[in-house]
Amino acid sequence: MKTQDRSELLSKLGLDGQNKATIGRVLSTGSIGEATERPDGTMEATIRIGEDEMSWEPSILVLPHGGTCELTIINDDTNTHACLLPSNGDKKFIGLLNGSKGTATIELDGPGYYWYGSPAGNDEGRGLTAAIVVSGEVPPEAKLDRPAQSRP
């Protein structure tokens, strides 16, 4: 992915400015991916660890809205890793032997950043962390009852 392509995608997805999901400036390496929405409203995506890369691809996964997402997690590396994912109620853990694949169904109902990584060994300390960004607005019942605030 060219730098210009990445900048354009960050802008298109709203990940590049103040009062937006500025996560694109935090995770400056790796790719950005978008989950695919199924006809029933659930989403799906694939994330993977490349051989000898110690990074998730994509490093930023964008969900178009809150809800259920089925993830396929692939470890193409020659080392064993794991995946600890956020999900409403309880986190999901997938052990990933070298060359293995697993699936996890997660539920993220609110917009925001959700971090995940590999808690095996010192994987996170060596950079094996990534983010899921859930787009959209919070439901009306979760908004504060106050006058609208000016935004830059």
Side-chain angles (χ1 to χ4, degrees), residues 75-87:
N75 180 12
D76 288 329
D77 198 8
T78 55
N79 293 306
T80 298
H81 299 287
C83 188
L84 185 60
L85 293 156
S87 187

Side-chain angles (χ1 to χ4, degrees), residues 4-146:
Q4 183 177 9
D5 295 337
R6 180 180 170 81
S7 295
E8 289 171 9
L9 187 55
L10 286 170
S11 180
K12 174 187 161 216
L13 296 171
L15 301 178
D16 67 342
Q18 184 176 351
N19 289 331
K20 294 183 179 180
T22 56
I23 192 73
R25 292 185 179 170
V26 176
L27 293 171
S28 59
T29 60
S31 64
I32 303 166
E34 296 177 83
T36 304
E37 190 168 3
R38 297 174 178 155
D40 65 359
T42 62
M43 297 160 279
E44 64 184 348
T46 299
I47 55 177
R48 65 185 333 126
I49 303 168
E51 185 174 359
D52 296 327
E53 291 182 11
M54 287 303 289
S55 65
W56 296 101
E57 283 297 323
S59 63
I60 302 171
L61 175 63
V62 179
L63 306 185
H65 55 78
T68 303
C69 184
E70 183 178 299
L71 295 172
T72 301
I73 303 123
I74 301 170
N75 180 12
D76 288 329
D77 198 8
T78 55
N79 293 306
T80 298
H81 299 287
C83 188
L84 185 60
L85 293 156
S87 187
N88 293 350
D90 200 7
K91 295 182 180 199
K92 305 288 181 166
F93 179 86
I94 304 289
L96 297 166
L97 298 174
N98 48 327
S100 68
K101 175 168 110 173
T103 60
T105 301
I106 62 172
E107 179 76 27
L108 299 172
D109 61 2
Y113 310 147
Y114 298 87
W115 298 92
Y116 70 94
S118 172
N122 187 30
D123 284 355
E124 291 175 326
R126 293 172 41 210
L128 198 50
T129 60
I132 297 170
V133 177
V134 178
S135 302
E137 290 291 325
V138 297
E141 64 272 12
K143 292 183 179 180
L144 294 174
D145 186 18
R146 66 179 189 171

